Amino acid sequence: EEINSINQILPTASAGGYYDVGVFDEGGKAQAIRTWIRSVLRKIVHYQAEHQRLLDEQVETTLQLALPQDIVMNNVIPFLELPSCTFEVVDD
């Protein structure tokens, strides 16, 4: 659906070009492509986050079944809930 939507827009959008010396009209095609790419990227990010959430739920469930409950509740689940971080290397 999303992939084909750009094919519906491009045939009727203006291509743009130079109309006077130094005056460039970007046209509708470039804008349509940028908007479409942003839309596709937003969906990719959304689906990646949803995939990660489902993986985290599956890992938590699997660990709860495999490990004693006190180990899971006291050690594993708090670790899974830690925010993701990036570690920067600082040169001394």
Side-chain angles (χ1 to χ4, degrees):
E1 172 189 323
E2 186 70 32
I3 297 296
N4 289 327
S5 69
I6 194 67
N7 295 332
Q8 313 258 324
I9 296 167
L10 288 180
T12 59
S14 67
Y18 286 97
Y19 294 102
D20 287 323
V21 176
V23 178
F24 180 75
D25 175 24
E26 180 180 83
K29 288 189 190 297
Q31 183 61 37
I33 291 169
R34 272 198 287 282
T35 301
W36 176 76
I37 288 172
R38 281 190 206 105
S39 173
V40 170
L41 289 175
R42 273 193 301 271
K43 288 182 180 182
I44 289 170
V45 169
H46 167 77
Y47 289 125
Q48 283 178 328
E50 182 67 12
H51 180 252
Q52 187 60 51
R53 185 187 66 77
L54 292 171
L55 284 176
D56 290 346
E57 285 179 7
Q58 181 64 38
V59 166
E60 184 177 333
T61 302
T62 302
L63 288 173
Q64 285 177 345
L65 295 173
L67 296 173
Q69 190 66 20
D70 61 328
I71 292 175
V72 172
M73 296 306 289
N74 295 334
N75 300 307
V76 177
I77 291 178
F79 178 77
L80 291 176
E81 294 172 350
L82 288 174
S84 60
C85 315
T86 57
F87 297 95
E88 296 180 21
V89 176
V90 178
D91 293 331
D92 292 317

